[in-house]
Amino acid sequence: VPMGVLSCVQHLMLAFNALVFAGGTSLAAVGLWVAVDPSGFQHIVAAEGVLSAGAFLLLAVGTALALLGFLGCCGALRRSRALLL
C-alpha cells in the first residue's frame, strides 16, 4: 500500500473521530444544561421525571461518545490499532 494512501486514511480517521468527539461533547453539554436548568425545557416535555431521565441519558451518551472520539483521535495519531478498536 502506498504511503500517500495510508496518510490519507490516517487523516480521515482523525477527522471522523474529531467529529465524534465534538458531537459527544455537544450532547454532554446539552445534557448538563438540561440537568442544571430544566425550567427552560418544561414546555417541551410535560413530565419532570422524563426530563430528568433524558438529561442524564444525554449526559451519559455524550460522555461515552466524547471518550470514544478522543481515544480514536489518539489511535489515529499514534497509529495504534488497539486504540482504534
Side-chain angles (χ1 to χ4, degrees), residues 51-79:
L51 185 63
S52 177
F56 289 117
L57 181 67
L58 278 176
L59 192 57
V61 170
T63 302
L65 281 175
L67 180 65
L68 186 71
F70 178 74
L71 290 176
C73 284
C74 290
L77 287 174
R78 293 177 165 261
R79 296 183 182 172

Side-chain angles (χ1 to χ4, degrees), residues 3-64:
M3 190 63 179
V5 173
L6 291 177
S7 177
C8 180
V9 169
Q10 179 185 8
H11 286 93
L12 286 174
M13 287 293 293
L14 181 65
F16 177 74
N17 283 302
L19 286 175
V20 171
F21 177 75
T25 305
S26 299
L27 276 178
V30 169
L32 187 63
W33 179 23
V34 173
V36 170
D37 184 27
S39 62
F41 299 92
Q42 284 294 342
H43 65 281
I44 298 172
V45 179
E48 177 70 30
V50 173
L51 185 63
S52 177
F56 289 117
L57 181 67
L58 278 176
L59 192 57
V61 170
T63 302

